Amino acid sequence: MATAIEVENVVKRFGQTIALRGVSLEIREGELFAILGPSGCGKTTLLRIIAGFEVPDSGRVYLKGKDVTNVPPDKRGTVMVFQNWALWPHMTVYENVAFGLRLRKLPEAEIRRKVLQTLEMLGLRGLENRFPSQLSGGQQQRVALARALVVEPEVLLLDEPLSNLDAKLRLRLRGELKQLQKKLGITMVYVTHDQEEAMSLADRIALMRNGLIEQVGSPSTLYKKPKTLFTAAFLGRTSLLLGKVMDAGDDKVLVRAGEIDIVAQNHGLQKGEGAAVVIKAEGARMEPHKGRETVKIRGTVTVSMYVGAFVEVRVRIPGSKYEVMLDLPLDTPAPGPGQEVEFYVPLDNIHAYPIEEDVIKEIAEQA
Amino acid sequence: MSLERLKKAVFHPTKSDLEIVIFLYLPLVFILLGFVLPLLSTILSARGWEVFRDKYYLDLSWDAFSNIVEYKTIRNKIIITVKGFDLGVIGNSIVNAVLVTLTATLLGSSVAVLVGFYRFRGRRIFAALAYVPLLMAPFVNAYIIQRFVNPTLGYNTLSYIISKFFTEPLLGKTVIISFKNQAGVFLAQVLMFYPIVYINTLAALAAIDATLVEQALNLGARGFKLLRKIVLPLIVPGILAGSTLVFILSLEDVGGPIIFKYHKFISYEVYQSVAYQATQEIAKVASLSLIMLVAALTPLVVARQYLSLRYYARLARGAPRPFYGLKLGSKGYVLAYLIVLPIIMAAAIPQFGIIVLAFSERWVGALPDLLPADKLFTNFEALLSIEGIRRSILNSLYYLGQAIVFIAVLGFMAGYATARARLPGATLLDTLTSTPLAIPGLVVAFSYFVFFSKHNLGGFFDPQNVPYGVVHLLVLAYVMRRIPFTVRSVFTSVIQTPEELEEAARSLGSRRFRVLARIVLPLTWRGLIAGILLSSIYVLAEVSVSVTIGALGGDIYSSDHLGPITFALLQLTTMTTLVGGTQPQAKAAALAVLLMILEATVITISSRLARRGQALITV
Ligand SMILES: Nc1ncnc2c1ncn2[C@@H]1O[C@H](COP(=O)(O)OP(=O)(O)O)[C@@H](O)[C@H]1O
Ligand SMILES: [Mg+2]
């Protein structure tokens, strides 16, 4: 597929803050591309640079191969949907949606047809004459979307468009958005700090941290083959423990944490080094898995609670301050607090990396 | 890097957007050339430093204080004459301004705390009365105060009240108390300017969130301690904004010195050098202007961590849930009614006095002589029938009409650009559009006079070129001095409108010009109109430039003079006779009433427009 957007080595400072430290990306035509990362990592800044609201200090932006780094936002053909939706309070729904078409000097009848068609598509018929203040949150969000879609943009940029809605509505609109994107085939760049949202929506995800991209790939690649400590720890329900490498091979590594040894996938560790081990909670069992390499983890249960579809247990690793969070299937009898138990976790879900102090601090802050 | 951005912005307008470049740099260039340049070039050429050695200008010996109060008794008459000090022109200006500021601050902030922080019977009356002095009636207000406290022959009004109601019936003695010279000017200025501190403090109080105070009350803070620990720190910026402004106004006031006929003030020296074209004194007056300017800016620099200049011209937002007040105790009631109420009433005297005088024939003795019922409107009729006065009204409207076009257009541009432009020069524009508020008007008048006598674009701005040069200079001065109100008002409205509303339109393909027309203006027009109204009213009430440059076209005896309303007020209050039977001062009062009605209307509309919960902070 052809490249829709290319971002090349973009750096952006705001006074002392460095929002982007050299970001490069390629986004393909027709894909739903998510930019994911904790708040403050530079997602909005990156999106605004693609849209043309900010000019990078260095680096370039290309749309369909054309250098647009200094092209103002109104001449780019990218349309943005804002976190607060930015509906014009002095215009009705109809006028809001028609605005972009009027700029394109279409005949009034044509405008009317397109506006009504788009409103229809988004389930907003009948609300044409309302003002934004007379709409519910979900309706406002859809109007914002309609206003953007009606001009049939080549690229749609969305900055956390669902974050101001309640959880239920968010889920529903997420599904609708995905359908719409596939139906219309437009390129969408979707910024979010919600990993579930990114995972469920995106064809590909760029995970960002601190002004840099950690990893780009499909949701399952990022989840299953995290290249960095941050990617591993950020995605999914994870625990982090620190230990020392007792033995290291190309693929696997043996790490001593507290009084136990844990086998993990090796991401560049050498024998004798300190290691940061990320364990995903998902897929843990009370007995070894069949046909899958599993790792034994022993410890004392401190908490055990039902969380909907599974039981969450927290296990203290003997001889350490670390607790590992594990999700057990509902059908296993869950061990109670105080019990010393052995658990089995698929090796796929355990990753070990060299220690990066700043990442560990950041992860700790988010937990 | 920023230079590169500037180049990019200016030379590749299709790539950046031309509109924001124009909005930022057009007003910037205009202010730099039309305000900063004339001021700096004149002020920096100050050479007349002999003023510091001349006793007339600076006298720091003890003699300066030898005549503060004179006390005489003649048979059963006690004659007290308060004259104040004489430190020479420079010393008088500065020390008087300091004293006026301190007194006004003390009065204004305590009245505001009483009215704004306590609940008691009559609070509304107190609050309403305290607003009255904000209605500007230049010269005539000082005249009324002068009537009250100045004349020594016979009774002045104050002595009349004291003697007739207190000392004569009780002690059998007549008391003649009279304020003259510096003391008179001091008294007039305190009464004229203390409401500025009052209203700024009141606005700061209104912005205090009730939860803050309630929290403190919960923790057991009471009375004076509550005020000192919780309330005072929150209102200090408001108080300071008010008092620094009073300081500037006192320095530049010519009304007091002229009306009390005591001319040893910098303001008067500067005034007369321009109004009477005393060109041989330019070196000296430039030095005096520089001293006045430095003095005016000093408190601002000292207090800068607590306030920004913007504070003056903004419309402050009220608290989400304002504090409704503590109940006033019985001691408080005594204080309120015996001390604070008389002060508030004293400060409202000029405005009430003006209204009475407007319907009077003359005011020579203790009390004015009212006009007979069938001739009650004689003074108002004179405004239209006497050509010189009518001309001044027409002049004012004519100048306003021109100035307002520039103020609206440039003010909108500058207000929008300071809020939105991220180009080099945006902060400079922000500073420059507030600066004129802190520059004494007489410094502007003098600088314009000197600078444009030399450089005037082929006579276009030449003050000797009557009438056109004078008219153009007046309009230019009005634009520069009054544009801050519009800029700040627009700025506030734009800032309160999320930028995403503009960006959404931009990203749909709209040029900024269209965004301005379709999104920004519809959402900020209230702020724009409120600002324009405020600017207008301050154009009409402008004194410093109006009575100096405005005097260059002759006086109001002639039917084609160039002076605006305030110039007419000055001439009417200081002249002894004029056709039409009644005293000229009575006609001045009628003109002032007209002006005050206009002011009250505009201020009401303007604060309505600025929407709920917002209080007007300004002079
Ligand atoms: N206009 C701005 N001025 C100053 N700092 C900014 C501005 N925009 C963003 N930043 C800073 O840049 C960093 C990245 O911000 P942002 O892109 O908004 O992050 P995100 O959208 O991922 O939460 C933050 O530290 C933020 O404070
Ligand atoms: Mg963001």
Side-chain angles (χ1 to χ4, degrees), chain A residues 48 72 74 80 88 90 104, chain B residues 15 501 503 506 508 518:
Chain A
R48 289 173 58 83
D74 50 306
M80 183 132 161
W88 301 305
H90 58 298
R104 284 158 184 75
Chain B
K15 286 199 165 183
L501 294 181
E503 290 172 342
R506 300 270 282 145
L508 284 169
R518 297 271 289 139

Side-chain angles (χ1 to χ4, degrees), chain A residues 48 53 70-74 78-80 82 84 86-91 99 103-104 147 151, chain B residues 1 8 14-16 422 498 500-501 503-511 514 518-519 522-523:
Chain A
R48 289 173 58 83
F53 296 125
N70 288 312
V71 174
D74 50 306
T78 53
V79 174
M80 183 132 161
F82 293 84
N84 59 8
L87 297 179
W88 301 305
H90 58 298
M91 297 185 194
F99 185 88
L103 289 171
R104 284 158 184 75
R147 186 176 67 182
V151 300
Chain B
M1 184 206 80
K8 238 188 243 167
T14 47
K15 286 199 165 183
S16 158
R422 290 185 212 111
E500 285 92 346
L501 294 181
E503 290 172 342
R506 300 270 282 145
S507 101
L508 284 169
S510 177
R511 278 206 69 122
R514 204 183 160 91
R518 297 271 289 139
I519 312 290
L523 293 174

Side-chain angles (χ1 to χ4, degrees), chain A residues 14-15 17-19 37-46 54 159-160 191, chain B residues 422:
Chain A
F14 295 107
T17 328
I18 309 182
S39 126
C41 70
K43 306 180 295 292
T44 297
T45 307
L46 178 56
E54 309 281 355
D159 188 3
E160 314 224 11
V191 160
Chain B
R422 290 185 212 111

Side-chain angles (χ1 to χ4, degrees), chain A residues 143-198:
Chain A
V143 174
L145 209 55
R147 186 176 67 182
L149 288 173
V150 77
V151 300
E152 296 163 24
E154 291 173 19
V155 173
L156 190 61
L157 307 170
L158 304 109
D159 188 3
E160 314 224 11
L162 304 181
S163 67
N164 285 341
L165 299 172
D166 64 54
K168 252 191 177 157
L169 198 54
R170 202 156 55 213
L171 271 180
R172 205 172 84 212
L173 285 175
R174 194 198 284 174
E176 290 179 15
L177 201 65
K178 174 121 183 166
Q179 278 182 357
L180 213 60
Q181 192 263 341
K182 288 295 163 240
K183 190 168 113 194
L184 304 174
I186 48 177
T187 313
M188 274 195 195
V189 185
Y190 191 103
V191 160
T192 178
H193 69 274
D194 179 345
Q195 50 163 310
E196 234 180 84
E197 205 166 276

Side-chain angles (χ1 to χ4, degrees), chain B residues 165-457:
Chain B
F165 294 101
F166 300 99
T167 56
E168 283 175 13
L170 298 176
L171 310 169
K173 292 197 185 226
T174 302
V175 173
I176 307 281
I177 181 164
S178 164
F179 288 82
K180 290 192 177 319
N181 297 4
Q182 181 270 332
V185 173
F186 166 83
L187 197 67
Q189 291 184 346
V190 167
L191 291 183
M192 289 189 297
F193 300 145
Y194 100 90
I196 293 162
V197 180
Y198 165 78
I199 192 159
N200 276 282
T201 313
L202 209 56
L205 277 166
I208 295 180
D209 194 348
T211 46
L212 271 179
V213 181
E214 283 158 4
Q215 183 80 59
L217 284 171
N218 261 342
L219 294 172
R222 289 284 180 276
F224 192 65
K225 190 161 182 188
L226 176 70
L227 280 181
R228 201 167 53 91
K229 294 266 182 192
I230 309 292
V231 178
L232 195 62
L234 292 169
I235 58 175
V236 160
I239 296 177
L240 277 178
S243 28
T244 43
L245 203 49
V246 168
F247 186 76
I248 295 165
L249 289 174
S250 165
L251 278 177
E252 73 165 351
D253 177 49
V254 280
I258 291 176
I259 302 298
F260 279 81
K261 298 199 177 67
Y262 183 71
H263 297 165
K264 289 181 83 173
F265 288 96
I266 297 179
S267 55
Y268 188 83
E269 291 271 318
V270 178
Y271 155 72
Q272 60 103 34
S273 87
V274 182
Y276 302 120
Q277 304 193 49
T279 32
Q280 71 284 3
E281 296 191 323
I282 279 175
K284 188 181 77 191
V285 179
S287 307
L288 290 173
S289 298
L290 179 57
I291 294 167
M292 173 147 73
L293 182 65
V294 170
L297 294 178
T298 305
L300 287 174
V301 174
V302 173
R304 75 181 175 285
Q305 64 185 102
Y306 295 104
L307 71 144
S308 79
L309 265 182
R310 292 176 173 187
Y311 205 100
Y312 291 140
R314 71 172 195 171
L315 295 159
R317 206 171 246 291
R321 193 166 67 86
F323 185 65
Y324 280 112
L326 281 182
K327 239 178 127 132
L328 193 64
S330 53
K331 264 187 279 176
Y333 265 96
V334 174
L335 195 80
Y337 277 89
L338 283 190
I339 299 181
V340 178
L341 187 61
I343 293 172
I344 296 181
M345 286 180 21
I349 284 173
Q351 278 69 14
F352 288 119
I354 288 168
I355 295 171
V356 175
L357 183 56
F359 295 100
S360 301
E361 213 174 319
R362 60 175 57 80
W363 189 340
V364 283
L367 297 172
D369 306 326
L370 284 178
L371 284 159
D374 56 331
K375 292 188 181 152
L376 211 50
F377 289 94
T378 310
N379 290 317
F380 289 93
E381 284 155 15
L383 300 185
L384 294 180
S385 62
I386 297 178
E387 274 191 81
I389 305 180
R390 194 179 62 206
R391 170 59 36 201
S392 73
I393 298 173
L394 294 177
N395 283 343
S396 272
L397 296 178
Y398 178 64
Y399 302 150
L400 176 63
Q402 296 182 38
I404 217 61
V405 174
F406 288 92
I407 288 177
V409 173
L410 291 171
F412 181 73
M413 287 182 166
Y416 180 79
T418 44
R420 293 290 192 242
R422 290 185 212 111
L423 292 167
T427 7
L428 180 65
L429 181 64
D430 193 17
T431 312
L432 287 184
T433 48
S434 308
T435 311
L437 294 167
I439 310 281
L442 286 165
V443 174
V444 179
F446 174 71
S447 304
Y448 272 26
F449 178 69
V450 174
F451 181 84
F452 288 108
S453 292
K454 282 180 277 178
H455 318 277
N456 47 40
L457 302 178

